[in-house]
């Protein structure tokens, strides 16, 4: 019993056990029920670090040191992991570094103070603050929450006269919480995992994003694909990532980062102290052999991760196939999609009985499936996404309230 994995999904638990069969999974009672096929699962109240530790302590074999490492793949549970680590006597990211990385406003301030490129940003408590920021920094602007993941409530505003209505929408959607206003930076968008130790960084993953154009919204990812860029540019990106992580107080571990390359300048958008998830692990495994789940476990156990060769990735892309409709799924059929000659594998995100919803609050609510495909050129992605999305047979019980909410 050497490695503790906090709140894994069933598929992540299976992947962990493939390489670390003695891993122990600590989960909520609800998640524990989904991990019934795994032999070492401890249920606990994960809202209480002391209760979680006591549950682990009661399970532990007292005849030998039971724990050597701890890892977590979910942003919401990273603070718990930081609180548990000293109780278990294992290393993990510090609570301060996790706190900085999870507050996008404080993250941006830390980067600006350290001279790391990031778009000009301010915290907005009221419309007057937004108006002052927009006067100082010409548009377009990005408005987004301080602490949510993905592209939840990320609005792109092109004209100043649209800002009051956007403020009201965001103020209502976030239930009055403050949000961030940020200058819009346009360029190639990258997502990466890198390993940091002793002040030095090495890339584990470098993927580029194809973004779906949609008026008023930003960050809708239609596809991820391996970045094919010159070695000097890769080095410039990595150095910016390294300095950004150090500015947050990260000392050792795997870090996920999103960035935009505007001409020759990389701008950092956000960091998470975990590897990238969702469709990215399968894309990495098939293109470069990098397994982020295995790598995170290796690092947790004090080992160096296996560093992949990123110079010749396989010509694949991972598509996110979104619906433009809202409602409850009565039936959904992926057969024609799975039979398409370009398709390698399909991972359904929504099944019968699930709700799909097209709104500003979260684009995850509209993803029907992730789809790994053969793709030689990124220019093929728009037409390929449209073609494959239309192969999904979707029957909805439409809810007019959802459709217009």
């Amino acid at each position: 019993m050497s490695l503790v994995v906090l709140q894994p999904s069933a598929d992540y638990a299976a992947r962990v056990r493939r390489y670390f069969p003695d891993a122990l999974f600590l989960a909520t009672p609800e998640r524990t029920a989904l991990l019934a096929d795994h032999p070492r699962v401890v249920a606990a109240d994960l809202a209480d670090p002391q209760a979680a530790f006591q549950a682990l302590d009661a399970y532990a074999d007292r005849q030998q040191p039971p724990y050597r490492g701890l890892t977590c793949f979910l942003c919401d549970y990273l603070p718990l992991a930081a609180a548990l680590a000293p109780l278990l006597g294992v290393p993990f990211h510090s609570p301060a570094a996790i706190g900085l990385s999870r507050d996008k406003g404080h993250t941006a301030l830390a980067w600006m103070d350290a001279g790391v490129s990031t778009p000009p940003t301010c915290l907005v408590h009221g419309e007057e603050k937004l108006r002052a920021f927009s006067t100082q920094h010409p548009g377009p602007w990005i408005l987004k929450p301080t602490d949510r993941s993905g592209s939840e409530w990320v609005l792109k505003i092109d004209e100043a006269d649209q800002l009051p209505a956007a403020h009201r929408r965001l103020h209502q959607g976030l239930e009055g919480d403050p949000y961030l206003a940020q200058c819009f930076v346009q360029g190639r968008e990258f997502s990466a995992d890198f390993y940091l130790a002793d002040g030095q960084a090495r890339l584990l993953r470098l993927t580029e994003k194809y973004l779906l154009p949609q008026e008023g919204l930003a960050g809708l990812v239609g596809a991820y694909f391996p970045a094919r860029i010159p070695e000097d540019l890769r080095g410039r990106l990595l150095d910016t990532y390294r300095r950004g992580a150090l500015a947050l107080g990260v000392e050792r571990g795997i870090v996920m980062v999103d960035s935009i390359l505007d001409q020759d300048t990389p701008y950092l958008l956000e960091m998470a102290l975990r590897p990238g998830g969702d469709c990215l692990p399968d894309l990495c495994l098939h293109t470069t052999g990098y397994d982020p789940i295995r790598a995170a476990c290796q690092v947790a156990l004090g080992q160096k991760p296996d560093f992949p060769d990123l110079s010749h990735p396989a010509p694949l892309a991972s598509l996110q196939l979104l619906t433009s409709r809202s409602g409850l799924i009565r039936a959904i059929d992926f057969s024609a999609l799975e039979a398409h000659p370009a398709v390698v594998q399909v991972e359904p995100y929504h099944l019968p009985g699930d709700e799909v919803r097209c709104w500003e609050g979260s684009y995850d609510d509209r993803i029907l499936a992730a789809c790994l495909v053969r793709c030689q050129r990124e220019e093929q992605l728009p037409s390929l996404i449209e073609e494959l999305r239309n192969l999904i047979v979707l029957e909805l019980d439409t809810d007019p309230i959802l459709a217009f909410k």
Side-chain angles (χ1 to χ4, degrees):
M1 194 190 307
S2 59
L3 174 67
V4 178
V5 183
L6 190 57
Q7 191 73 344
S9 61
D11 62 324
Y12 269 47
R15 294 186 187 208
V16 168
R17 286 191 59 220
R18 189 179 308 159
Y19 302 109
F20 304 93
D22 292 334
L24 175 68
F25 304 123
L26 179 66
T28 61
E30 295 80 9
R31 179 61 58 86
T32 298
L34 302 177
L35 300 174
D37 293 338
H38 300 285
R40 283 170 288 278
V41 183
V42 176
D45 176 7
L46 298 190
D48 183 347
Q50 192 63 41
F53 171 69
Q54 289 172 353
L56 283 173
D57 193 50
Y59 187 88
D61 179 2
R62 299 177 183 274
Q63 302 305 311
Q64 58 182 359
Y67 308 117
R68 287 177 46 219
L70 169 69
T71 194
C72 175
F73 298 98
L74 297 173
C75 284
D76 288 346
Y77 290 93
L78 289 172
L80 173 61
L84 273 177
L87 300 175
L88 299 177
V90 299
F92 199 72
H93 297 292
S94 71
I98 289 172
L100 266 180
S101 69
R102 286 180 52 75
D103 186 313
K104 296 175 185 178
H106 287 123
T107 295
L109 285 175
W111 287 337
M112 288 188 283
D113 288 345
V116 182
S117 298
T118 191
T121 304
C122 81
L123 183 65
V124 176
H125 289 277
E127 189 177 337
E128 183 177 338
K129 183 74 171 179
L130 177 62
R131 191 180 306 113
F133 181 80
S134 66
T135 301
Q136 184 179 2
H137 299 281
W141 306 273
I142 298 294
L143 310 183
K144 64 183 183 182
T146 63
D147 61 353
R148 304 194 185 192
S149 58
S151 294
E152 297 180 44
W153 286 110
V154 179
L155 308 183
K156 178 176 177 288
I157 311 302
D158 294 307
E159 303 294 339
D161 60 4
Q162 300 170 340
L163 287 170
H167 170 78
R168 290 191 293 272
R169 287 207 314 278
L170 206 54
H171 189 73
Q172 181 180 12
L174 300 180
E175 299 179 340
D177 288 344
Y179 62 87
L180 298 180
Q182 196 168 65
C183 292
F184 174 68
V185 176
Q186 188 164 14
R188 298 170 69 180
E189 292 209 19
F190 297 94
S191 175
D193 292 348
F194 63 97
Y195 172 67
L196 183 72
D198 300 320
Q200 301 302 310
R202 288 190 63 175
L203 275 174
L204 296 164
R205 168 182 68 88
L206 185 62
T207 48
E208 192 165 349
K209 301 178 184 181
Y210 166 70
L211 298 179
L212 298 170
Q214 183 156 340
E215 185 177 355
L217 296 181
L220 271 69
V221 181
Y224 294 94
F225 56 95
R228 297 172 178 85
I229 59 175
E231 188 173 345
D232 62 332
L233 176 54
R234 191 186 306 155
R236 199 179 319 140
L237 288 171
L238 180 59
D239 183 63
T240 302
Y241 300 162
R242 180 188 65 84
R243 292 188 293 114
L246 292 175
L248 300 185
V250 180
E251 296 180 355
R252 178 184 177 273
I254 295 177
V255 180
M256 188 280 293
V257 59
D258 285 333
S259 64
I260 292 180
L261 182 68
D262 181 8
Q263 298 182 20
D264 291 329
T265 303
Y267 288 85
L268 299 188
L269 299 180
E270 61 182 88
M271 280 185 174
L273 306 192
R274 55 157 180 82
D278 296 326
C279 62
L280 291 170
D282 284 341
L283 177 64
C284 295
L285 279 168
H286 283 80
T287 54
T288 65
Y290 164 57
D291 186 339
I293 299 167
R294 182 184 186 189
C297 294
Q298 289 174 318
V299 171
L301 293 171
Q303 306 166 13
K304 287 185 178 180
D306 298 327
F307 296 106
D309 180 2
L310 302 179
S311 60
H312 297 93
L316 301 172
S318 187
L319 313 187
Q320 299 198 124
L321 304 179
L322 282 61
T323 182
S324 57
R325 301 155 58 199
S326 297
L328 295 174
I329 298 178
R330 182 168 61 248
I332 188 167
D333 186 354
F334 299 103
S335 300
L337 174 63
E338 292 168 335
H340 191 282
V343 171
V344 176
Q345 67 181 44
V346 174
E347 180 186 359
Y349 275 33
H350 286 97
L351 296 172
D354 291 347
E355 175 187 303
V356 289
R357 184 178 180 188
C358 298
W359 65 314
E360 300 113 316
S362 173
Y363 86 87
D364 287 352
D365 290 347
R366 66 182 80 176
I367 303 176
L368 298 178
C371 182
L372 191 64
V373 301
R374 301 174 187 88
C375 181
Q376 294 288 341
R377 302 186 313 278
E378 62 190 79
E379 295 82 6
Q380 299 172 308
L381 288 171
S383 59
L384 188 59
I385 289 171
E386 185 66 17
E387 178 184 358
L388 296 182
R389 185 179 64 127
N390 289 332
L391 294 178
I392 300 174
V393 179
L394 177 66
E395 297 179 21
L396 294 180
D397 290 323
T398 303
D399 185 337
I401 295 176
L402 287 178
F404 295 102
K405 199 167 182 178

